[in-house]
Amino acid sequence: MLAMLLAIPLIGAVIVMASPKRQAKWIALAWSGIALAAAMWAAINFEWFGPASAQMQFTGSWTWIDSFGIGFSVGVDSVAMLLILLTALLSSICILSSITAINERERLYYGSLLVLQAAMMGVFASRDLILFYTCFEFTLAPMYVLIRQWGSSNRKFAATKFFLYTFTGSVIALVGLVYIAYKAFLIHGFWSFDLNMMQSAVRLLTAREQGWLLLAMMAGFAVKVPLFPVHTWLPLAHTEAPTAGSVILAGVLLKLGTYAIYRFVIPFAPAALIEYAGVIATISIVGIVYAGLICWAQRDVKKLIAYSSVSHLGFCVLGLVALNAAGLTGSVVYMINHGLSTGALFLLIGMMYERYHTRSLDEVGGLGSKMPVWSMFMVFFMLASVGLPGLNGFVSEFLCLLGAFQSGATFGVGGTLGPLGPWYAVAAATGMIIAAIYLLYMVGKIVFGPLHEPRGHHEHAVLPTDLNMREIATLAPLAILCIVLGVYPTPLLATLEHPVDRALRPVAALLDPGSQHFADGETIDDAYLLADTAADESPTGVSLALREETP
Amino acid sequence: MLELLSNIPELATLASHATHGHGAEGAAAGAAEAAHAVGAAIAGSGNKLFLLIPLLPLLSMALCGLYWAFGVKSKLPAWTTVGLLGASFGLTILAYFEIAAPGVTQIVHGFRWIGIDLSPHQEGGLELIANFGLYLDSLTILWMLFVTGLATLIALYASEYMAHDVGPGYCRFFFAFSLFVFAMSALVMGDNLLMLYLGWEGVGLCSYLLIGYFFTKPSAVAAAKKAFIMNRIGDLGLAIGIMMTFVQFGTIEYAGIFEQVDAIRASGGELPFAVKAIPLLLMVGAFGKSAQLPLYTWLPDAMEGPTPVSALIHAATMVTAGVYLIARTYPLYTLNPTALVIVAWVGGLTALLAATIGMAQYDIKRIMAYSTVSQLGYMFLGLGVLSSAGAAFHVFTHAFFKATLFLCCGAVMHGFAGQLDLRKLSGVWGMKGWRIVSVAMLIGCLNLAGFPLTAGYFSKDMILAEAFVTPGFAVLGWIALITAGLTAYYTFRVWFRVFMGPGEFEPGDEHHGDAEDEMTAEDGHDNHAGHGGHGGSSFHPHPPKWAINTVLAILAVGSLAVVGVYFIDTEHHGWVGGLVHDSTAHYESPFVHHGAAAHEIAGAHGAEASGAELAPGTFLGFDPHEALFFASGIIGAIGILIAAFLHGPTGFGGLFIGARTEAATSRADGLKRTFAPVGKWAERKWYVDELYDFLFRIPLWVLAHICYLFDRFIIDGIVDGLAKTPRGVGSGLRPSQNGLLQSYAVGMAGGLAFILLVIWVVL
């Protein structure tokens, strides 16, 4: 099932590259539609609720490089499945949004988008480190092409910087991850990059080793997220990228970083994470405030939204390092919600850019009286982004903050063990005010106020003054999802309960060795044995070595 | 401020006795009250029909949205809204008879909005649950009665008021209007704090959308932005308060919280830190939404919105949400006396400050806005001095008379092409077709001024008396009493200037925002000629038609009639007091009853604690409950007379003491010169806006730009610098950087292979 899901866009890419130039966009649209349908078919067959949602489903494994135990092994739990759905949806929408915007070298453009889609899905589907890493890095190539070929004036520099910056980071992360695989090799006596097998090595790591591992992994993933202060590639890449590139970049590519933290950092370096969570949280909060303030100083709308992504993803990482159920759930939901609302904002800016050829707040503004439909969507997604209750952003933002607040709270009945504390939540919550300031500033300039247009502006040759049906069709699904996930997020939260609980087991076992995370009579050591024997059971990894160090 | 206040020993300890005494002493009265507070008769499953009260406005919103999409160009949105809101009001009345009349509490479950099991591996673990559910007790019903009732009436008024904008703007207006009623219902009726937060931010959004209704006008956009952001500052406190509530109590549903609060009260002992902190955090939200110090500056600016909006949202309903929040969570407040002391002081000082500003404004809508801020201050004062009933009663009467006042101002503005300057309008009373407006205005003014035997007089008195009765708050009582005089003055200043005297006017220059064309077409006048000529030859004021007049008549009669409810259920200080008595906001201040029984209660506590200190306060040696009826009446009358003297026209219109003969000048001008520059300062709102700009906005803006420069040149500079360092080294390898994708892919694969090889070799 998953292999098919990955194959569809790849086949599509080949066909698009081979197709006549004129038809390329329609073929690409059709294939991305098929991929979306396939993803939805998978979603229908997926077991969303109960303990099964934490199990890897649709598993499949094929040998790849046998001598190193590298396999093409795939499987998804509900977290990965949700992100695959997001990817499929945003990819289709991106292709639909590009129909009139891209008028040269269409085959390469749509081919790259489809390859990108396959690579992103591969990241979420893989259960093997090398497969994961290959897909993780392979997202860079089509994105590089997209920015370099169809970007704005400074595109070459932006593309190179994007590529080198994120590539350098992830190579360091790879070194750390391979080190774990090496430790696993020491245990098992044979090489395997299967994540479950690697998991069993975690207990052999000393606290010091975990600390280094954390540093290595965060070096890679923090760049990808991006966290302050390694975020500077993002505004540049966003401003230079074509609309579809920005949507994918903000919607999915950034989530590869947070997803990797969720998938690798929490289970592989739990002890170190508990120790350094405060540092990471502080960095996130600085990022939230700092990037939020920078948004307010922008005159370029696209850059403003790019910086807002840095600010928003700070909440996401804060939720992750809260290391409790509310924080982790909030964080995963945040990944989806941010993809929807920020993706839509980039689409909207793209639509404006197509008509006015500028993104500067100095040159264009007050479009409310000229483009009412566009303006309505703009205000709507602004509100989703600002975290208005009843829309999607609120649920995730509140849960992330609540997670940070609970984590380590020492009073009441609702606190959890954890490395953070209420002050982290209070500090991060100032981001709510700053988000209101810069988003209202943006909307106040671009939608409201007296109309002003660039000098010598002509109406677009093809596009009407306000949005056409195709453009509405690209935005409407996102708007509907924003409302649905805001009004009735409970199923989404329910499907995350068990995966999150499982992801937290290593941490919970360290925080509270007597916790009920273990079945009756099961000890921490038993949990390891379980990990070693049960291949599909994602085990708890606790640093025994850590305990040995402190007799 | 907190430390400062809690260091005033008298206040803190006295309030502490007043609030704490019951549980700590385990007195019979306290126990009885604790049992009451849970809402002894919570019905298991409420009447699902009441879910329609919030949902009908939502339906109306959806319909208006559809009308917009299909380009409806008629008054259909207005009639849809009026009809559905009216139905919602009808259901509220039904709910009154089912819930408030017998004094029961119902919890109606809608659906699970947010629900997450935070420990699925464990039975009965921590769960975060926020249902779309209703907590219906008499407090809820009280609020909903005037929210839905006034909303219906004001929608009817707006159907005419907004008529110049029929088309997309009309749909947009009623869309936001309906959404507002939904959000306000969610705020008031929700059974948990997150529902309240949903409504809280929802009303903030509608306020934003409606203040910015004339969105091509920069001042409207700025005002809308200011309102939203200042509210967000308050919301931050509220949000953190909600999180702290959850961590402390493990639930955010009212029923669960109140149960635990009662348990804490019953057990006595030291209060947990969080229990003390929660009310302090929640009140920040309340101060933002209800425009109290220091977050009040957005409300006067909010007058940029269409007047029906000002009447409904920024006078009658939304701004009372803060009062509702504190009343709803009153059990938490009564545990923390410091919080109540702060609430009382913030309320009292806001009342005074806003009144002083209101005295010096010329824009009649702004005067009304400052009077709203000031009256809200009274309500907070009432809550702070343990008179939740007084506060709720004042909310109720204020909703009526302030809506009346705003709608009258709106009618004037509508008729005189946007003219709101009281120096440019005079003698509206005498003009043809303005009699209903004038009478309604007079009734509103009398209520606001606290003229004896009006509803506003009784509700204000309840709060004033309580301030004097509760020991330690006499200073605030005096402040509130002086403010009452100021209120009477500035209210009647408007009356004597605009409605009395010689008939003169100068039409405004702005014609309901962007809709001049419709106006011109409708009335056949060229409104642009407004500047200059007095009552210029080309402009004729157009008096309101049936919709506006009907609504004004109903509201004026209503404002007068609500005085009647004070004499129903006198045991609990009126009907409203009775409703509050049956709700969780009920709190029996030991100082309320001045008879022997109360002395007994107070004595019982006092004897065990710190002696005679606890005796109820007096007003100059008299019983405040009786003396203040006279005192506040006299003060109010003095205020009115001063207004007549300074602003009244000659003859009966100025009560025979006025001397004004034209619109633009009055005796007050001389007075203002005498007291310069104080008058100027008050006119410029004591420069608080400028102060905030200077202290917060500008530094933050500068910081934003510094951050941006830092980001561009320092952080990114380092990155680029690092990237350039290997350039020299890399020049030898330059052929590899050929920009071809294939070679990068090869390089990547090669690198990967190399790393694997290294590991292989190491092994």
Side-chain angles (χ1 to χ4, degrees):
Chain A
M1 175 73 89
L2 284 174
M4 187 186 80
L5 214 53
L6 300 187
I8 290 172
L10 281 179
I11 296 169
V14 172
I15 293 179
V16 165
M17 295 297 263
S19 66
K21 192 167 150 49
R22 291 275 171 78
Q23 271 80 52
K25 52 184 154 193
W26 304 113
I27 295 172
L29 188 60
W31 276 97
S32 73
I34 294 170
L36 179 60
M40 280 161 76
W41 175 247
I44 290 168
N45 288 308
F46 191 80
E47 189 140 355
W48 286 102
F49 300 106
S53 61
Q55 309 284 346
M56 288 302 153
Q57 300 181 36
F58 307 135
T59 48
S61 194
W62 295 268
T63 41
W64 184 10
I65 306 171
D66 215 11
S67 52
F68 277 102
I70 299 172
F72 185 89
S73 75
V74 291
V76 285
D77 61 358
S78 59
V79 175
M81 192 66 220
L82 284 170
L83 289 166
I84 284 180
L85 280 173
L86 176 74
T87 309
L89 175 70
L90 284 180
S91 298
S92 301
I93 284 178
C94 277
I95 290 176
L96 188 60
S97 78
S98 308
I99 300 287
T100 53
I102 302 300
N103 295 313
E104 50 181 18
R105 310 186 69 180
E106 286 100 332
R107 280 175 293 196
L108 182 58
Y109 178 84
Y110 291 106
S112 303
L113 272 180
L114 286 168
V115 171
L116 186 57
Q117 180 180 0
M120 292 185 299
M121 285 180 165
V123 170
F124 298 128
S126 52
R127 294 295 304 151
D128 180 278
L129 175 66
I130 300 302
L131 179 62
F132 168 87
Y133 187 79
T134 311
C135 291
F136 193 81
E137 294 296 35
F138 204 75
T139 56
L140 295 182
M143 197 67 207
Y144 174 85
V145 173
L146 284 176
I147 297 177
R148 195 184 161 96
Q149 289 292 336
W150 291 274
S152 309
S153 50
N154 196 15
R155 57 180 185 260
K156 287 186 180 169
F157 178 65
T160 313
K161 187 167 178 174
F162 159 74
F163 192 99
L164 290 179
Y165 207 147
T166 50
F167 184 75
T168 314
S170 24
V171 169
I172 302 172
L174 178 68
V175 174
L177 290 168
V178 169
Y179 182 77
I180 301 176
Y182 166 63
K183 282 284 185 179
F185 167 77
L186 293 186
I187 299 174
H188 302 292
F190 58 90
W191 276 101
S192 170
F193 287 90
D194 185 90
L195 295 188
N196 285 329
M197 300 297 257
M198 286 169 64
Q199 178 77 71
S200 56
V202 173
R203 67 184 166 114
L204 288 185
L205 300 173
T206 63
R208 199 184 159 79
E209 278 176 314
Q210 278 201 20
W212 282 107
L213 267 174
L214 179 73
L215 189 65
M217 287 192 279
M218 285 310 290
F221 303 145
V223 172
K224 199 81 181 180
V225 172
L227 280 178
F228 172 84
V230 285
H231 62 276
T232 50
W233 62 269
L234 183 73
L236 186 66
H238 264 310
T239 20
E240 299 302 324
T243 300
S246 290
V247 174
I248 291 288
L249 190 58
V252 187
L253 279 185
L254 304 188
K255 277 60 180 201
L256 299 187
T258 47
Y259 177 78
I261 294 176
Y262 176 86
R263 237 344 148 222
F264 296 101
V265 179
I266 294 178
F268 288 166
L273 192 56
I274 291 170
E275 195 173 343
Y276 295 108
V279 178
I280 300 173
T282 308
I283 291 172
S284 308
I285 292 166
V286 170
I288 290 171
V289 174
Y290 172 87
L293 282 174
I294 289 178
C295 288
W296 195 21
Q298 296 307 312
R299 311 298 298 171
D300 180 327
V301 201
K302 217 170 169 190
K303 217 170 200 174
L304 192 156
I305 300 174
Y307 271 111
S308 87
S309 285
V310 181
S311 182
H312 277 140
L313 285 171
F315 283 104
C316 198
V317 175
L318 180 72
L320 284 175
V321 296
L323 298 176
N324 56 19
L328 241 64
T329 312
S331 189
V332 173
V333 180
Y334 210 117
M335 294 180 206
I336 295 159
N337 288 338
H338 179 260
L340 298 175
S341 56
T342 305
L345 284 175
F346 276 120
L347 283 173
L348 282 159
I349 299 304
M351 291 168 189
M352 184 194 81
Y353 186 78
E354 246 186 292
R355 287 170 172 80
Y356 289 98
H357 304 287
T358 178
R359 299 179 306 254
S360 166
L361 289 173
D362 297 321
E363 290 178 27
V364 63
L367 293 176
S369 47
K370 187 153 186 195
M371 300 170 68
V373 179
W374 180 86
S375 302
M376 187 203 73
F377 277 113
M378 191 75 192
V379 172
F380 176 86
F381 287 111
M382 178 276 283
L383 293 169
S385 188
V386 89
L388 192 85
L391 297 179
N392 57 349
F394 168 70
V395 182
S396 39
E397 194 169 288
F398 183 77
L399 283 175
C400 285
L401 289 173
L402 180 65
F405 197 99
Q406 281 182 304
S407 175
T410 51
F411 58 90
V413 296
T416 62
L417 294 168
L420 306 182
W423 286 112
Y424 288 92
V426 174
T430 55
M432 284 170 43
I433 299 174
I434 295 172
I437 292 176
Y438 66 74
L439 285 168
L440 261 54
Y441 155 78
M442 176 187 83
V443 167
K445 287 262 176 202
I446 204 162
V447 174
F448 301 135
L451 175 71
H452 72 128
E453 296 176 318
R455 201 169 301 217
H457 165 67
H458 299 289
E459 295 293 308
H460 194 276
V462 184
L463 295 168
T465 305
D466 208 342
L467 304 187
N468 62 20
M469 287 315 283
R470 174 182 60 80
E471 288 170 315
I472 292 174
T474 59
L475 294 168
L478 297 176
I480 291 168
L481 275 173
C482 282
I483 294 174
V484 169
L485 293 183
V487 172
Y488 195 47
T490 300
L492 181 61
L493 300 176
T495 186
L496 292 172
E497 278 169 8
H498 287 278
V500 161
D501 193 47
R502 161 168 296 206
L504 281 171
R505 284 176 73 171
V507 178
L510 279 178
L511 286 171
D512 179 12
S515 84
Q516 297 191 34
H517 281 256
F518 303 99
D520 287 336
E522 193 188 17
T523 64
I524 296 178
D525 292 332
D526 292 336
Y528 282 121
L529 289 175
L530 204 72
D532 284 346
T533 49
D536 192 49
E537 275 285 315
S538 184
T540 20
V542 182
S543 168
L544 282 191
L546 186 72
R547 297 200 300 171
E548 283 156 15
E549 266 190 345
T550 53
Chain B
M1 179 145 186
L2 176 63
E3 280 82 1
L4 186 77
L5 288 172
S6 46
N7 281 343
I8 303 172
E10 198 189 10
L11 293 184
T13 51
L14 285 175
S16 158
H17 289 305
T19 55
H20 232 196
H22 291 296
E25 260 70 56
E33 186 186 302
H36 175 89
V38 190
I42 291 184
S45 64
N47 190 342
K48 296 262 184 200
L49 192 62
F50 299 143
L51 285 170
L52 285 177
I53 297 174
L55 291 181
L56 287 177
L58 198 64
L59 175 66
S60 164
M61 177 202 89
L63 287 173
C64 291
L66 285 177
Y67 297 155
W68 179 76
F70 288 104
V72 169
K73 283 193 175 54
S74 68
K75 285 194 175 183
L76 189 60
W79 304 133
T80 308
T81 309
V82 171
L84 287 171
L85 295 188
S88 191
F89 178 56
L91 281 171
T92 313
I93 292 176
L94 198 69
Y96 172 76
F97 286 111
E98 192 172 320
I99 290 161
V104 295
T105 301
Q106 275 194 10
I107 292 176
V108 187
H109 180 77
F111 70 96
R112 180 150 296 185
W113 172 37
I114 295 175
I116 171 170
D117 187 350
L118 295 175
S119 43
H121 51 268
Q122 177 180 352
E123 283 295 313
L126 193 61
E127 274 187 279
L128 172 68
I129 293 176
N131 289 321
F132 188 91
L134 313 178
Y135 184 91
L136 301 174
D137 68 355
S138 45
L139 186 73
T140 317
I141 303 293
L142 170 67
W143 243 265
M144 285 315 296
L145 277 174
F146 71 80
V147 168
T148 53
L150 286 177
T152 311
L153 282 176
I154 294 174
L156 180 62
Y157 176 99
S159 71
E160 180 182 330
Y161 189 91
M162 302 305 293
H164 57 81
D165 225 5
V166 167
Y170 206 66
C171 296
R172 186 159 56 88
F173 178 85
F174 284 99
F175 173 89
F177 196 93
S178 305
L179 178 61
F180 167 76
V181 181
F182 162 74
M184 192 70 201
S185 314
L187 191 163
V188 172
M189 300 172 86
D191 77 342
N192 61 70
L193 284 168
L194 271 188
M195 262 288 271
L196 177 131
Y197 193 77
L198 166 78
W200 196 266
E201 292 254 291
V203 293
L205 162 70
C206 299
S207 165
Y208 170 75
L209 293 176
L210 288 168
I211 297 171
Y213 177 77
F214 302 118
F215 62 80
T216 48
K217 212 171 122 193
S219 62
V221 177
K225 206 160 70 177
K226 183 172 176 183
F228 195 88
I229 291 169
M230 289 212 107
N231 269 300
R232 269 258 156 159
I233 297 173
D235 295 355
L236 177 69
L238 178 59
I240 294 168
I242 293 173
M243 288 180 220
M244 194 168 254
T245 308
F246 181 71
V247 171
Q248 174 62 34
F249 298 116
T251 177
I252 49 167
E253 293 179 312
Y254 295 134
I257 296 170
F258 294 157
E259 218 169 289
Q260 295 191 42
V261 167
D262 288 340
I264 291 172
R265 194 199 299 276
S267 69
E270 185 68 14
L271 287 177
F273 161 76
V275 174
K276 287 191 201 159
I278 289 166
L280 297 175
L281 289 165
L282 295 183
M283 78 167 82
V284 178
F287 293 160
K289 193 60 81 193
S290 291
Q292 297 295 292
L293 275 173
L295 299 173
Y296 72 95
T297 56
W298 65 269
L299 185 58
D301 288 8
M303 298 302 129
E304 291 285 347
T307 306
V309 171
S310 311
L312 180 68
I313 300 187
H314 302 119
T317 56
M318 182 186 88
V319 288
T320 66
V323 182
Y324 177 78
L325 171 65
I326 294 181
R328 177 85 285 166
T329 54
Y330 217 48
L332 281 165
Y333 278 84
T334 54
L335 285 178
N336 184 354
T338 321
L340 282 173
V341 173
I342 296 173
V343 169
W345 274 93
V346 166
L349 293 177
T350 309
L352 179 64
L353 180 81
T356 58
I357 300 175
M359 284 163 64
Q361 299 298 308
Y362 292 104
D363 179 323
I364 54 176
K365 229 175 130 183
R366 274 187 187 254
I367 296 172
M368 291 307 149
Y370 278 107
S371 83
T372 305
V373 176
S374 178
Q375 297 302 308
L376 288 164
Y378 274 104
M379 297 164 201
F380 278 83
L381 174 63
L383 290 168
V385 297
L386 301 171
S387 175
S388 49
F393 188 36
H394 201 52
V395 167
F396 192 71
T397 59
H398 176 259
F400 279 90
F401 68 71
K402 190 51 69 63
T404 313
L405 284 168
F406 264 111
L407 295 183
C408 289
C409 290
V412 170
M413 185 184 179
H414 194 67
F416 294 90
Q419 185 55 269
L420 284 170
D421 192 326
L422 54 73
R423 289 167 298 190
K424 294 176 180 169
L425 288 168
S426 174
V428 173
W429 173 277
M431 293 179 195
K432 192 166 171 285
W434 288 91
R435 196 48 59 88
I436 293 178
V437 176
S438 303
V439 172
M441 184 77 183
L442 180 61
I443 292 172
C445 285
L446 289 172
N447 267 295
L448 178 55
F451 193 77
L453 305 183
T454 58
Y457 167 74
F458 286 110
S459 56
K460 197 182 280 183
D461 246 27
M462 270 175 85
I463 295 169
L464 283 175
E466 219 61 28
F468 280 107
V469 162
T470 309
F473 290 99
V475 179
L476 275 173
W478 282 106
I479 289 177
L481 194 58
I482 293 165
T483 306
L486 302 181
T487 310
Y489 165 74
Y490 68 69
T491 310
F492 273 86
R493 173 169 171 257
V494 173
W495 170 257
F496 287 124
R497 298 283 303 233
V498 176
F499 286 85
M500 292 285 109
E504 274 180 36
F505 62 87
E506 196 179 307
D509 53 351
E510 156 230 309
H511 316 284
H512 310 293
D514 48 349
E516 296 99 307
D517 299 341
E518 283 90 340
M519 281 273 294
T520 315
E522 186 187 292
D523 300 23
H525 306 310
D526 179 12
N527 295 327
H528 291 279
H531 276 303
H534 282 244
S537 53
S538 58
F539 177 84
H540 299 285
H542 52 115
K545 298 195 207 41
W546 73 271
I548 288 182
N549 276 332
T550 310
V551 171
L552 285 179
I554 294 173
L555 278 174
V557 171
S559 310
L560 277 183
V562 289
V563 73
V565 305
Y566 184 67
F567 299 103
I568 304 172
D569 197 3
T570 43
E571 186 195 339
H572 299 118
H573 298 276
W575 174 75
V576 172
L579 289 178
V580 172
H581 180 84
D582 290 339
S583 74
T584 54
H586 167 66
Y587 189 80
E588 200 70 55
S589 163
F591 313 108
V592 169
H593 299 285
H594 36 86
H599 280 296
E600 211 173 277
I601 296 173
H605 293 292
E608 284 171 48
S610 45
E613 271 180 322
L614 272 172
T618 61
F619 177 73
L620 302 175
F622 300 99
D623 177 2
H625 287 273
E626 280 147 24
L628 275 169
F629 279 123
F630 299 101
S632 78
I634 292 167
I635 294 264
I638 293 174
I640 295 172
L641 288 176
I642 294 176
F645 179 75
L646 290 179
H647 299 283
T650 50
F652 178 72
L655 306 177
F656 302 110
I657 52 173
R660 187 168 61 84
T661 52
E662 55 167 359
T665 54
S666 74
R667 278 182 183 152
D669 299 338
L671 198 66
K672 198 181 161 191
R673 274 192 294 277
T674 316
F675 284 101
V678 177
K680 181 81 182 160
W681 291 346
E683 190 190 335
R684 300 299 304 272
K685 305 167 269 180
W686 302 116
Y687 297 95
V688 174
D689 275 324
E690 286 78 0
L691 182 74
Y692 285 177
D693 264 6
F694 181 72
L695 284 182
F696 303 109
R697 204 182 71 86
I698 294 171
L700 207 60
W701 190 84
V702 170
L703 183 66
H705 283 78
I706 292 174
C707 281
Y708 182 44
L709 292 177
F710 179 77
D711 202 57
R712 265 191 79 176
F713 295 107
I714 310 291
I715 293 189
D716 206 29
I718 291 173
V719 171
D720 286 347
L722 283 177
K724 276 175 195 142
T725 317
R727 177 167 284 182
V729 184
S731 58
L733 298 166
R734 184 151 298 165
S736 68
Q737 302 284 320
N738 53 11
L740 285 176
L741 187 61
Q742 296 88 325
S743 57
Y744 283 110
V746 170
M748 202 174 96
L752 202 61
F754 177 73
I755 292 167
L756 290 175
L757 193 69
V758 169
I759 295 163
W760 179 259
V761 170
V762 166
L763 298 179

